[in-house]
Amino acid sequence: MAKHPTPLLDQLESGPWPSFVSDLKALAEHRAQTASKIEYQIPVEVVEDIMGLLELSYKDGTTHWKHGGIVGVFGYGGGVIGRYCDQPEKFPGVAHFHTMRVAQPGGKFYKTEYLRQLCDLWDFRGSGITNMHGSTGDIIFLGTTTPQLEEIFYELTHKLNQDLGGSGSNLRTPSDCIGQARCEWACYDTQDLCYQLTMDYQDELHRPAFPYKMKFKFDGCPNGCVASIARADFSFIGTWRDDIKIDQEAVQAYIGGELKPNAGEHSGRDWGKFDIQKEVIRLCPTQCMWMEGKKLMIDNKECNRCMHCLNVMPRALRIGDDRGLSILVGAKAPILDGAQMGSLLVPFIKAEPPYEEIKEIIEKIWDWWMEEGKNRERLGELIKRQGFQKLLEVSGIQPDPRHVKEPRSNPYIFWKEEEVEGGWTRDINEFRKHHLR
Amino acid sequence: MAFISSGYDPKEPMKDRITDIGPRKYDEFYPPIIAKNKGKWLYHEYVKPGVFYHVAESGDKVYTVRVGGARIMTTLLIREICEIADKHCGGYVRWTTRNNIEFMVDDEKKVEPLIRDLESRKFKAGSYKFPVGGTGAGITNIVHTQGWIHCHTPATDASGPVKATMDVLFEDFKNNRLPAKLRVSLACCLNMCGAVHCSDIAILGYHRKPPMIDHEYLDKMCEIPLAIAACPTAAIKPAKVEVGGQKVNSVAINYERCMFCGNCYTMCPALPLSDKEGDGIVIMAGGKVSNRISPPKFSKVVVAFIPNEPPRWPQTTAVIKKIVEVYAANARKYERLGEWAERIGWERFFEKCELPFTHHLIDDFRDPAYYTWRQTTQFKF
């Protein structure tokens, strides 16, 4: 018999999609059954109480979590988010229900042995409820009590060789796409760059020194599977600057129908015979492709690497060999001044260990943001407030037409005095000699 | 329950302390076939929705079976995933950015037994534990935030509306009939931990009532200047208020200027704004993050408000289903939802999707608003 009836949540058990309610119920039952055998370090009824509390929110149409709460592990300013329920008497099992962010491995690859160690730890010292994964990328441990925080951190670091992730005004846990591990389009090793920067910036990740949050995300190509361009203060997007490699026989195989376009991703409908003119050449945003007889031609200098033709014909077209990445900066969600997409700062940079050139750019911009950024001002907002020119100035990057979609349509240029011949100091009396009052 | 120490000594927190070790290194967890062929993949192909293989220069072929899963996941289910990965995949498994789980095998013969095993597993009440799908020109898992289960600022739940929406869209998780991929995301408030603002369809929790002011406690709980500075529209000013015969320092709010963003509440717990009638869902559409054909786009608000309707949010899911169906019927091959809407014009989008157009959908927030109005005589009747 469940501790709290949950008639509303129960309705989320039907339907085909995996039901988190069914999953939670199974865990609640499991904890109750094993309570006599395991010395659970937080209340056994934690799962029943979280369901009871969620049911109450479903009834009330509002949350029942108090605002914040400063808890953490000694010496870190992030990685733990304090959470207290506003109905602790009814739901004592979730009176404290803190989140711990556990830094995820690159590409979110796991060995089961490690996952089981995480489960053992979290069953014993926490709720057994996780997010796989949180939005930033971390493994989320959802719900434990204050006394367990140090214990969990101790076991993570001593037994699992594993650290916490970032939260608050820190570098947030960087995250990456699957990259070269299993993708032919990855233009650099997203997992290696992500890991190296994560390790090099551990201090920034654990000890808040920034005006606000700072996110790094690593996309191997312009397809953007980790959405870095929409949500990272620094987005690192793989690209190349030489020629797309063409296998003309494979092109013919697509035209002839032996190969399925878009790697077979459109199998649910009959779209008719593949038409390279209609499906590739005419959809090319720069119109830089054409057929010469049976040969597909690409004017690579005019290509903007949108990926469409490669996506449609992965066996015929491959990314170039002169590979690196573009850096875009300042993306963020709407809070406060509206959403921003990342703006292109570095069109091309090589991505090779130890990545010193990339780090140099990051650190110059951090210095500026830490000096000039207001409390809770994201990098993108600072760029808007002080101007893209300022960003170029602090990062030592030369202006380039690639930095803009179009040049400005107003002439209100903030000329600098040193740019104007003779400077701004003039003699009004000299002027009046030739121009009477 | 007796407290069992991990070895940590609270009297000497620095003793043997290990810090700054970061995550486990990525290549510790690569399956052997991935470790061997990293950076040397040639191409990939989809066998059917949720099932694909990659071919390496070495001739190796890795098959991947992708399954959906709830982002909230218990250790019980993770242990079951481990059991499956041990049985079929040599003890390796991975998650995707969109909360899917991928099981990889190095031999075609291992694929069907793996799929059968995955699809045979159901929760007691009948839902799939591991539905295969989520690839290609269809709808994959919804990325989302915490919602009522663990957040202090949400305007809606997350896991509930996601479950309800995925039930309604389930066929498109398992099918590739759409013109292109369609990404659905949910954020339970404007903070958008989930960054839904560039999704084909975004479900966004939104508050519609200004904060209440807990005058008696405000000065004790908050830094008043921070609360004032937090407001993007300068709607908050300091005020002296009488509470129980005593003058206290507090704030006053100009309700006409409030856009319900909740940023003041983030800075000051004495300004709660959540409310059963006030809170609900905004539907946004037409965003994308990929650079394919057209540049990345923001999602646009297409429905200003739908009330919260737990447990299954029927109006929200009906609007989403309608948009998906109209898109499926009208867009061209490879055309993302936003590209289709721009080609036919947003006036046609609202007509075809049978969505009312109200004043709420016209931007009036600062300079960018102007650039969304129509400065041309090119429009459709």
Side-chain angles (χ1 to χ4, degrees), chain B residues 137-171:
Chain B
I139 294 173
T140 188
N141 207 343
I142 296 177
V143 287
H144 64 92
T145 55
Q146 296 290 15
W148 290 334
I149 203 163
H150 204 238
C151 182
H152 64 296
T153 67
T156 186
D157 188 34
S159 297
V162 163
K163 160 72 174 152
T165 304
M166 284 310 290
D167 278 340
V168 168
L169 300 177
F170 191 68
E171 275 170 39

Side-chain angles (χ1 to χ4, degrees), chain A residues 14 17 23 41 58 62-63 67 97 99 112 123 131 151 160 184 191-192 207 262-263 279 337 376, chain B residues 2 6 20 24 26 30 44 46 74-75 79 86 93 146 150-151 157 163 263 265 274 292 328 334 366:
Chain A
S14 57
W17 187 253
D23 191 14
Q41 295 292 291
Y58 273 47
T62 180
T63 193
H67 191 289
F97 198 69
T99 306
T112 53
D123 278 335
N131 289 148
E151 306 296 325
L160 274 76
E184 65 271 27
Q191 277 147 38
D192 193 60
R207 295 166 196 92
N262 225 66
E279 297 189 35
D337 272 348
R376 285 166 50 81
Chain B
S6 61
D20 299 86
R24 294 285 285 264
Y26 54 88
Y30 282 160
H44 67 283
Y46 291 81
T74 68
T75 47
R79 288 178 198 279
D86 283 347
V93 64
Q146 296 290 15
H150 204 238
C151 182
D157 188 34
K163 160 72 174 152
N263 202 46
Y265 180 59
S274 175
R292 184 175 184 174
Y334 306 117
R366 301 196 175 156

